[in-house]
Structures are given as structure tokens and as C-alpha cells.
Amino acid sequence: MSKSEDDKRSQKKAAEARLEQLQIDLVDTQIWTMANGQKVCILLEGRDAAGKDGAIKRLTECLSVRNTHVIALPKPTDFDKGAWWFQRYVNRLPSTGEWVVYNRSWYNRAGVERVMGFSTPDQQETFIRDVPDFESMIVRSGITLIKLWLDISRDEQKQRLDDRRSDPRKKLKVSDLDQVAQDRWEDYSAARDDMLRRSHHEHGPWICVATDSKVKAREHILRHVLKVLACPHASEDVAAPDPAIVFSYDEVIEGRKSLRK
């Protein structure tokens, strides 16, 4: 085995060990939040193939099945289309001792629905105007809200979408919208920028995650969640997330960080 291969194997083992410890800390943190009756709501948003599924798997795979719920809703029904937009999400918010993880959320209205014309401009404007108030109500009710934007480069997205089509194990991930994600990259960028700017607020700040490296993104998402929940029983040596990978949207506003264009 070459030195390069040996180094890669060592790095992989080290990353797996760090992930295992972080998952142990997540288990201890959930036990603590359950004992204290806390309610946790985590949103993962991002472009297609940004790594939401993989991050959610690492986040939840060791947690309580009864107290952890992953929400990935199908396209709206006719009833949903005629109802208050937030209505289909409200009943799925966490109760005492629960963690709810949204694999895409109410922000569909400001992303894919805007780009693809699945809702009207008036509906989109109503949503973006109301979402800070909606999230403020959630937080005031005692729910801890964590909003993550998973950011990916155009080239990396293309590679991952191509890999999906060539891997029979990933057939369920293939979508008619995959090519649209590339063809309308600039439109999605504009929708993202407007959404983040107008929905970043005191009770619902956006945290951005650079995801071109899946392994690093997953690790540092877990670190961020642990940092926010601040369980006193977590390992003393749990490091904060790398600021080059996980950063507040404030830094984008201030020009110190940028998102993929």
C-alpha cells in the first residue's frame, strides 16, 4: 500500500471515530432534552444533491425512533394548495421531548415553487413576508429552531446528479427536476439569495454549510447542533464547527463569506 493510500485510510478512520463520538454526544443530548421536555426543530434546505439525506441519516440514525421524526413531505395536494401554506407543517412540529427534522420545509415556497412557477408571485410574497412572524411564534412557544442552508458548487452538484443516474441503488433519488437544477442554476441562486436575506431574523437565523465535502459537512452539522443545544453531559472536548464550513448568514451579509453562484 502506498503512503498516499495509507494516509487516506488513516484520515477515513479518524473521521469515522469523530463521527461516532459526535453521535454518542447526540444520544446523550437527546436524553437530556427529553428529560427536560425540550422541543427541537431542525430544517435542512439546499439545492438538489447538496447532501440533506446523508446529513439527516448521520444526525438521526442513533436517536430514539419514537422521539425523532424526519419529515419529507410529498408535493402539495389540492387541499394543501387551498389551505394556509403553513398548515401542512404545523401539525408536524415537535411536542415535548421530541426532535423533528425537516428534509425541506415550508421554504419550498421560496425555492422550487418560485423557480418552477408552482405558486403565484403573490403567494410567494405572502410567504416570505409572513415567515419571520411564523418562526418567531414557533420559538416563543418553546421550540428550539435550527435552520441550515446546505451550499454546493455547480460542478459538484452536476457530478452528484450524474452519479445518481448511473447508480441503480439511487433510482429513488432521481427526479425529473435534476436537469432543471443545472439548467436554471442562476434562477435558483437568485431565489436562494432573496429567501435567505428576507427570512434571516433574530428568532430564525440561517446557518450556511459548505457541502462540497460530504464527510466534513456531516461532521460539522452535528457539531453545530450540539453547540446550539449545549447539553451539559456532552463530551468536554467536542469542538465547535469549523467556521470555514459552518457559518452564519450574517457573514454573507457583511461580505466576509460568500455562497456558490
Side-chain angles (χ1 to χ4, degrees):
M1 181 182 296
S2 68
K3 184 177 185 301
S4 172
E5 290 174 333
D6 190 49
D7 287 345
K8 287 181 179 179
R9 176 173 289 187
S10 296
Q11 291 172 10
K12 183 177 180 181
K13 286 184 177 180
E16 289 172 348
R18 292 195 302 271
L19 181 64
E20 180 178 340
Q21 183 57 56
L22 290 169
Q23 289 179 322
I24 292 171
D25 286 320
L26 281 171
V27 170
D28 290 340
T29 296
Q30 186 173 49
I31 292 170
W32 176 68
T33 60
M34 289 165 59
N36 287 281
Q38 295 185 42
K39 297 173 281 189
V40 179
C41 181
I42 305 172
L43 313 185
L44 283 90
E45 292 286 347
R47 299 180 192 264
D48 288 342
K52 296 179 290 295
D53 291 348
I56 290 171
K57 179 180 179 181
R58 274 64 178 187
L59 177 64
T60 62
E61 64 183 339
C62 299
L63 299 182
S64 165
V65 174
R66 291 187 177 183
N67 290 75
T68 309
H69 309 288
V70 177
I71 309 299
L73 297 182
K75 66 180 183 180
T77 64
D78 288 341
F79 175 84
D80 294 329
K81 292 176 182 177
W84 179 48
W85 175 250
F86 297 105
Q87 189 166 322
R88 69 196 303 244
Y89 299 97
V90 168
N91 288 341
R92 295 172 172 85
L93 289 170
S95 185
T96 302
E98 290 186 330
W99 290 29
V100 169
V101 182
Y102 284 93
N103 186 343
R104 296 194 183 276
S105 65
W106 42 86
Y107 282 101
N108 272 346
R109 176 134 290 181
V112 66
E113 288 211 355
R114 168 174 161 169
V115 173
M116 299 303 298
F118 294 157
S119 55
T120 68
D122 284 346
Q123 289 173 324
Q124 295 155 21
E125 181 61 28
T126 297
F127 165 78
I128 205 68
R129 180 197 67 206
D130 291 348
V131 71
D133 289 335
F134 173 69
E135 292 175 348
S136 294
M137 290 173 63
I138 289 174
V139 172
R140 288 197 297 269
S141 76
I143 294 174
T144 299
L145 179 63
I146 301 173
K147 292 163 46 178
L148 302 172
W149 173 264
L150 277 56
D151 203 46
I152 186 173
S153 68
R154 189 170 190 168
D155 289 345
E156 180 64 20
Q157 184 194 58
K158 182 180 185 304
Q159 181 62 54
R160 293 183 190 179
L161 293 175
D162 289 344
D163 289 344
R164 283 182 183 180
R165 289 188 286 271
S166 62
D167 188 341
R169 297 170 299 174
K170 297 181 179 180
K171 287 180 181 179
L172 293 172
K173 287 191 172 186
V174 176
S175 165
D176 292 339
L177 295 178
D178 285 353
Q179 188 56 46
V180 177
Q182 284 278 296
D183 293 343
R184 304 194 63 176
W185 177 271
E186 292 82 6
D187 294 334
Y188 273 108
S189 293
R192 173 204 63 195
D193 292 346
D194 190 52
M195 180 191 81
L196 295 180
R197 177 178 58 82
R198 299 184 64 187
S199 60
H200 179 70
H201 59 99
E202 178 185 1
H203 293 115
W206 279 106
I207 299 299
C208 304
V209 185
T211 66
D212 274 17
S213 168
K214 290 181 180 180
V215 172
K216 291 180 180 179
R218 292 164 182 169
E219 174 181 334
H220 291 280
I221 285 171
L222 268 59
R223 291 188 186 280
H224 176 72
V225 171
L226 289 167
K227 177 184 176 183
V228 171
L229 297 178
C231 171
H233 307 303
S235 300
E236 293 182 2
D237 60 349
V238 173
D242 184 340
I245 299 173
V246 176
F247 51 92
S248 169
Y249 185 65
D250 284 333
E251 295 191 64
V252 178
I253 294 172
E254 295 163 2
R256 292 186 285 125
K257 299 283 187 181
S258 61
L259 299 176
R260 298 290 190 165
K261 296 294 186 181

